[in-house]
Amino acid sequence: MLTNDQLDQWDRAHFLHASTHFAQHARGESPTRIVTGGEGVHITDRDGNRMLDAFAGLYCVNVGYGRTEIAEAIAKQAHELAYYHSYVGHGTEASIRLAHMVAERAPAHMNRVYFGLSGSDANETNVKLVWYYWNVKGRPEKRKIISRWRGYHGSGLITGSLTGLTPFHAKFGLPMAEVVHTEAPYYFRRPRRDMSEAEFVAHCAAELEALIDREGADSIGAFIGEPILGTGGIVPPPAGYWEAIQPILKKHDILLITDEVVTGFGRLGTMMGSTHYGITPDIITIAKGLTSAYAPLSGSIVSDGVFAVLEEGTDKFGPFGHGWTYSAHPIGAAAGVANLKLVDELGLVQNARETGAYFQNALRERLGSHRFVGDVRGEGLMAAVELQRDPDAGTDFDAADKITAQVVGAMAKRGVIARAMPQGEIIGFAPPLCITPAEVDVIADATAQALEDVTGQL
């Protein structure tokens, strides 16, 4: 193993890593991994370790690693035109073609796309779209955005506020006043263990109604939610949740933003998560699966109804005052075009549906009856295993014991990468959509073995 060489020293001396304990990293007290290659569902680090990436980077390498078709599309675009902006009507063939491809895959009432670079900046764009929309409609007081506890929508200022997880608020002075939070659709953590799913859905709906009453519907511009909670624990909504929530929003004239940064382009076994759960959004956030992270790119898809108001606004007030230097970057757009072609050609949406069902069953069979497993849940190729000290009594582990982090570390030693999810003892999975049943078995076996490695003496 290569340790304490110049690259490692530069890493610890100069590189600020995301979601990292800066002090421990700088002092060399925490591990680091320098990744050098990848193929299919595997990555390789510089020490020669080949590992099955059961989290697809950060839910994002949907088509798998090493796809030369995307690499060649990026290179071709860079040789022809590495950059031009998208301001005041400028575009490139790649950005125009990708906008068309996204519209083809979006719900039928959504036909315009604004491109950015990350899910965070896309949600910043969405909030500005909402505020602009209501200003055009003569209702500027409708500024508040309802999000949900345990939702994840980014880590900027407004997007970090939308995110409903304590680490993204604490010590940053967030959330901002424009953001309010309501109940997470997290049935496993329901207020009373004797609640049925239907009763819990009614509870979530009542909590939303109560929040709207307290804040005043005239002050609320939009509601944002992931079709299935992602970083907050990979939590599918209970049956009937979206059917209960949408009429409340419509009744109070509140726009709906569906954050599909994770679920867009196949992960649930449908092209879009909104379609999967029967959601009719006004705005959809896209990113990760748009390019499979081969290049940075995000997007905000707006409904025909919202676009009509945007048109009206620019007729009244002139050009829409918003933009990023790298919006619709041609290299990112070229990667997106090649990526979406591969998603179709390789049948990855169907594979996510079929192999996803196999994955859910494999995890339940191997882990569902383990004495420290409280819940095994998921949809398509998203899954989570939640650990508890005593599942029968609903008793949690002490957070200081970091049981999940230990299990994920033991899995890495067995050649499988999973994620210790924040704010809970939850093992998260979101492998590339090209995964096979045999590779699923490797993940399930490694998880069961690592769990026993860590908890065998408890």
Side-chain angles (χ1 to χ4, degrees):
M1 178 180 291
L2 299 172
T3 57
N4 199 34
D5 67 350
Q6 189 172 66
L7 194 60
D8 181 82
Q9 291 169 19
W10 287 347
D11 178 29
R12 297 185 186 276
H14 305 297
F15 188 3
L16 288 179
H17 294 258
S19 293
T20 295
H21 192 303
F22 289 158
Q24 288 179 354
H25 185 77
R27 293 192 297 259
E29 297 169 1
S30 57
T32 187
R33 179 181 293 132
I34 300 174
V35 181
T36 57
E39 183 178 6
V41 299
H42 293 87
I43 63 164
T44 305
D45 67 20
R46 66 173 183 159
D47 302 320
N49 299 307
R50 183 172 180 266
M51 307 185 75
L52 196 163
D53 183 4
F55 215 80
L58 287 172
Y59 314 91
C60 51
V61 189
N62 285 6
V63 297
Y65 295 94
R67 298 292 184 186
T68 56
E69 300 93 331
I70 304 178
E72 289 166 0
I74 289 171
K76 183 174 183 290
Q77 183 64 54
H79 282 294
E80 291 177 358
L81 179 68
Y83 171 75
Y84 205 73
H85 65 78
S86 62
Y87 283 54
V88 291
H90 290 86
T92 62
E93 180 181 346
S95 59
I96 295 166
R97 188 177 297 279
L98 183 60
H100 173 70
M101 293 175 75
V102 169
E104 285 185 315
R105 289 157 175 77
H109 69 294
M110 309 190 78
N111 289 289
R112 261 81 176 189
V113 190
Y114 179 90
F115 289 115
L117 276 181
S118 73
S120 286
D121 74 45
N123 278 326
E124 295 279 346
T125 294
N126 294 342
V127 172
K128 290 185 74 175
L129 288 170
V130 168
W131 289 347
Y132 185 86
Y133 175 97
W134 289 117
N135 273 292
V136 173
K137 300 275 278 185
R139 303 179 69 184
E141 69 281 358
K142 285 178 75 72
R143 286 183 61 82
K144 291 177 185 172
I145 313 293
I146 298 175
S147 186
R148 301 175 302 178
W149 294 117
R150 301 194 74 92
Y152 185 84
H153 304 291
S155 56
L157 294 179
I158 195 70
T159 56
S161 297
L162 295 172
T163 290
L165 293 164
T166 300
F168 294 87
H169 294 169
K171 308 306 179 187
F172 298 113
L174 300 178
M176 297 172 70
E178 290 87 353
V179 176
V180 291
H181 291 86
T182 190
E183 184 91 17
Y186 194 174
Y187 182 60
F188 182 69
R189 295 288 176 179
R190 57 198 178 275
R192 299 193 325 272
R193 289 170 67 88
D194 63 348
M195 267 186 170
S196 68
E197 278 197 64
E199 289 171 332
F200 179 63
V201 166
H203 166 75
C204 290
E207 287 292 304
L208 177 59
E209 284 274 20
L211 176 63
I212 294 169
D213 287 344
R214 286 195 305 273
E215 301 291 333
D218 288 345
S219 73
I220 300 169
F223 175 102
I224 187 169
E226 303 150 282
I228 167 174
L229 287 173
T231 297
I234 306 185
V235 184
Y241 173 80
W242 283 109
E243 292 86 345
I245 296 302
Q246 291 182 88
I248 297 171
L249 304 177
K250 189 173 290 291
K251 178 177 75 172
H252 293 291
D253 209 6
I254 296 169
L255 297 175
L256 173 56
I257 305 166
T258 307
D259 188 331
E260 298 230 32
V261 167
V262 172
T263 57
F265 308 108
R267 183 154 292 283
L268 300 183
T270 50
M271 184 60 71
M272 306 301 291
S274 296
T275 307
H276 189 85
Y277 287 114
I279 307 169
T280 305
D282 297 292
I283 301 171
I284 290 178
T285 318
I286 53 174
K288 300 177 185 294
L290 178 60
T291 66
S292 287
Y294 275 65
L297 199 69
S298 67
S300 301
I301 317 174
V302 301
S303 70
D304 297 339
V306 169
F307 182 69
V309 175
L310 302 182
E311 282 187 303
E312 179 187 345
T314 52
D315 281 339
K316 286 181 178 178
F317 308 121
F320 184 72
H322 177 71
W324 315 112
T325 299
Y326 300 127
S327 293
H329 196 290
I331 288 177
V337 170
N339 171 69
L340 293 184
K341 285 181 179 177
L342 271 178
V343 169
D344 292 346
E345 291 169 3
L346 298 173
L348 296 185
V349 177
Q350 180 179 352
N351 191 62
R353 183 166 58 251
E354 295 174 355
T355 306
Y358 182 87
F359 187 34
Q360 303 297 332
N361 289 333
L363 288 177
R364 289 188 178 96
E365 288 175 3
R366 295 289 281 112
L367 295 150
S369 60
H370 192 281
R371 63 194 183 284
F372 294 127
V373 170
D375 195 27
V376 181
R377 56 179 179 261
E379 188 75 22
L381 284 172
M382 291 179 74
V385 176
E386 185 155 356
L387 306 179
Q388 288 188 303
R389 190 69 177 85
D390 185 347
D392 291 335
T395 305
D396 292 317
F397 283 105
D398 187 330
D401 293 337
K402 298 183 178 180
I403 296 295
T404 302
Q406 293 183 57
V407 173
V408 167
M411 291 176 68
K413 292 177 181 177
R414 293 179 176 274
V416 172
I417 296 171
R419 185 179 181 189
M421 310 301 287
Q423 209 165 306
E425 295 296 341
I426 305 164
I427 310 168
F429 305 93
L433 307 190
C434 58
I435 195 166
T436 65
E439 290 162 340
V440 163
D441 288 337
V442 171
I443 296 171
D445 288 344
T447 308
Q449 292 160 2
L451 182 57
E452 206 51 43
D453 290 344
V454 172
T455 66
Q457 302 304 313
L458 296 181

